Amino acid sequence: MNLDQYLTLGVDWEFGMCLTGWCASEKLNGCRALWDGQNLWSRGGRIIPIPGSIRAALPDGVRLDGEVHGGRGGFKAAVAAVLHGHWTPAIRFTVFDCPDHPGSWPQRLAEAARLYADCVSFTVCEDLQHANAMLLEVQGGQGEGLVFRHPTALGYVRGRSRHFVKVKGVIYEI
């Protein structure tokens, strides 16, 4: 089973897209995963065996969308955990959405944080200069980029959504 049809997938930022007022969080460089309330699934549709400490913290019966990652520079370690069960203390499952909650993204994230402690944080983008400054800060620390989510769009959208924008390259405001 391929989970792409069940997950919200972002689009790449294009020149002219306004990000003012959008919620910005760091793009985690790892393996996308979906907690279905009983199991953690890879984007390719495989059950990911997880350590008991992570399993104990996850809520039963509630879906959570997130990323298995090892922090900045930890992509290979995240892949080793997902594919081969090589979990180290640095590997985490960080949540960035609660698909079954009907609210806006900040409301869904607040619900996810109520249920599970390891969730992304976000900053509201003031303008493109602010977006560029945040991006340069993340990339200066060896991070991959940013994700922007529309603050008032309601509900979790399956498939590609223009309410979920990925930014990996420098934004220039004209």
Side-chain angles (χ1 to χ4, degrees), residues 7-81:
L7 300 174
T8 294
L9 301 171
V11 299
D12 292 330
W13 181 82
E14 298 170 0
F15 182 79
M17 285 180 154
C18 180
L19 300 173
T20 300
W22 286 45
C23 304
S25 60
E26 183 169 345
K27 183 178 184 313
L28 304 174
N29 192 7
C31 302
R32 184 80 176 269
L34 179 73
W35 173 251
D36 71 359
Q38 294 183 341
N39 293 296
L40 189 64
W41 293 85
S42 73
R43 191 168 155 183
R46 293 185 36 209
I47 291 178
I48 302 169
I50 55 176
S53 59
I54 292 175
R55 171 57 187 103
L58 287 162
D60 289 327
V62 177
R63 292 186 312 146
L64 298 172
D65 186 358
E67 189 99 359
V68 174
H69 68 101
R72 294 176 179 174
F75 177 74
K76 288 182 181 178
V79 170

Side-chain angles (χ1 to χ4, degrees), residues 116-139:
Y116 181 68
D118 193 351
C119 293
V120 296
S121 60
F122 70 91
T123 301
V124 175
C125 181
E126 298 168 9
D127 54 29
L128 285 180
Q129 288 176 326
H130 184 218
N132 200 50
M134 288 187 289
L135 180 65
L136 291 172
E137 182 179 333
V138 165
Q139 290 180 331

